Amino acid sequence: MHAIRLHAHGPAENLTYEEVPDPVPAAGQVLVHVEAAGVHLIEARLRGGTAVGPHQPPAVPMTPGGEVAGVVGALGPGVDEHWLGRRVVAQLHAAGGYAEMAVAQLEGVRPLPEGLDAATAVAVVTSGATAQGVLHVAALTPDDTVLVMSAAGGLGSLLVQAARHAGATVVGAAGGTAKTDRVRALGADVAADYRHPDWPARVRAALAGRGVTVVLDGVGGTLGRQALELLEPGGRFLLYGWASGEPTAITTQDLVARQLTATWALGPQSLPAGGRDELTARALEEAASGRWVPLMTRFPLSKAAEAHAALESRQVEGKVVLTT
C-alpha cells in the first residue's frame, strides 16, 4: 500500500508518499481500507517538532493521522465477523491514518450512518463532537442572539449551522470578504469581518441596537475581548480555544459589573449522560441528516505535504481531508 511517511521533524515537505507493507490487525483491531483521512493543525505543528500542550512530537519514522473512514477489510483475532465489509469511521489510538489502509482499535470504530460519505464523516467525527459539547453547555434557544467567532472555520461553521437550526439570531465573525461570504451562505443573519477595526460597531448597527446574548469564542486575544464587549447584561461567554495564541482576558469585575457568565465549554461540563460517544453519535447524525454540511478542502493522499502547507498558511477553508 501507499502511505505518508515522516522521517524527520521539520517543514511540510518532509512528508513523503511511499510504498510500505500492508498493516495487519492485531487482537481487538480492524483493518480499514481508507477512503478519507482527516488532517488537523496540531498534526502539522507536531510534524514540525513543536510540542502542543501535553502532546510531544512523535518518534520518527512514522505515519501521521488520527481519524479515517472507509471499509473494514480484515479483522484481528476476537473481532466479531459482522464488522467485515462495513463502512466505518474510526478514531485511531495511535497515528497511521494518512495511508491507504489503517488499523484501528475496535472501541474507536463506529458504523457510518446510512448516506454519510467518508469525507464528511472524518470532517465531523472530531470537530463535530467538540461542537456538540459546546452546544450542550450553550443550551441555545430561539431567544438568543449568538456571536460565533471564526465562523468560517471547521468548528465555527458547524456552530453557525447549529445555532440557526436552534432558531437563534446568528452573527458569524470571520476574517476577509471570502470568509464572510461563506458565513452568509451558511445561514448567518449577520456576517462580520473582524479584519475591520470597527467590526463591533458594525455588528451593533446590524443588530439595530440589540445586544448579543451568547458568544462562542475559539479565537481569544483582542478579538475575543471585543466579542465580550458586545454581550448584553446577563450574557453568556463560552470559550473553547484561542487560535490567536492567548485566551480572552476576563476579570471578575467584568462578570460582576455586567452580570455575565463565562465558562470553559470543554471538559466534563460539556459531556451529556452518554459521554463523548454520545457527542460523536450526535455529530454523525447531524451530518447524515444534512442539517450539518461541514466545510472541507480535499487533497489526494499523495499531496499530504501540500495539505499541511496550506493548512499552516491558512489557505484552506474548513476541515482538510485526504482522499485515496
Side-chain angles (χ1 to χ4, degrees):
M1 73 165 188
H2 289 93
I4 300 300
R5 298 291 285 169
L6 178 68
H7 293 275
H9 299 125
E13 53 263 34
N14 283 14
L15 295 172
T16 56
Y17 183 66
E18 302 176 12
E19 191 167 348
V20 299
D22 294 355
V24 178
Q29 295 181 334
V30 299
L31 176 72
V32 180
H33 290 276
V34 177
E35 297 173 9
V39 180
H40 289 270
L41 183 57
I42 187 175
E43 294 169 351
R45 290 175 176 166
L46 294 172
R47 179 220 70 229
T50 301
V52 181
H55 304 285
Q56 297 299 312
V60 293
M62 58 84 69
T63 294
E67 54 194 22
V68 298
V71 179
V72 175
L75 309 175
V79 176
D80 194 292
E81 291 286 335
H82 86 277
W83 285 102
L84 193 62
R86 298 194 75 174
R87 302 192 71 251
V88 299
V89 61
Q91 293 169 293
L92 309 181
H93 287 236
Y98 297 6
E100 292 175 333
M101 302 179 197
V103 292
Q105 294 292 134
L106 192 58
E107 58 265 28
V109 177
R110 285 184 166 275
L112 286 185
E114 186 174 352
L116 186 61
D117 66 277
T120 301
V122 296
V124 301
V125 67
T126 299
S127 297
T130 300
Q132 284 290 333
V134 172
L135 294 165
H136 180 71
V137 177
L140 302 178
T141 75
D143 294 328
D144 281 316
T145 298
V146 183
L147 170 57
V148 180
M149 301 297 286
S150 191
L155 182 55
S157 62
L158 298 179
L159 293 172
V160 168
Q161 294 173 72
R164 178 169 58 84
H165 289 304
T169 299
V170 185
V171 180
T177 301
K179 290 186 177 181
T180 53
D181 287 346
R182 173 66 70 179
V183 170
R184 289 188 190 92
L186 290 170
D189 300 282
V190 177
D193 184 351
Y194 47 45
R195 291 183 181 178
H196 291 290
D198 66 341
W199 74 271
R202 297 185 182 197
V203 170
R204 290 189 182 95
L207 293 175
R210 288 180 296 140
V212 170
T213 63
V214 181
V215 172
L216 305 179
D217 176 35
V219 176
T222 299
L223 291 173
R225 181 67 202 189
Q226 290 174 316
L228 180 77
E229 297 296 335
L230 285 168
L231 275 176
E232 67 180 26
R236 293 120 63 201
F237 194 90
L238 281 70
L239 303 93
Y240 59 88
W242 49 88
S244 67
E246 59 181 7
T248 297
I250 303 173
T251 69
T252 52
Q253 182 63 28
D254 293 321
L255 307 184
V256 173
R258 294 165 56 204
Q259 300 88 53
L260 303 181
T261 300
T263 306
W264 176 245
L266 303 179
Q269 67 271 31
S270 71
L271 298 177
R276 184 77 180 181
D277 285 346
E278 183 177 337
L279 297 179
T280 302
R282 289 180 187 176
L284 293 172
E285 287 298 333
E286 288 295 291
S289 72
R291 288 187 294 272
W292 276 5
V293 180
L295 299 182
M296 284 185 283
T297 302
R298 306 185 194 210
F299 291 83
L301 176 64
S302 61
K303 303 295 185 182
E306 294 180 17
H308 268 225
L311 184 61
E312 290 175 292
S313 61
R314 301 186 184 277
Q315 296 176 1
V316 293
E317 286 189 347
K319 178 75 171 187
V320 175
V321 177
L322 302 176
T323 58
T324 60

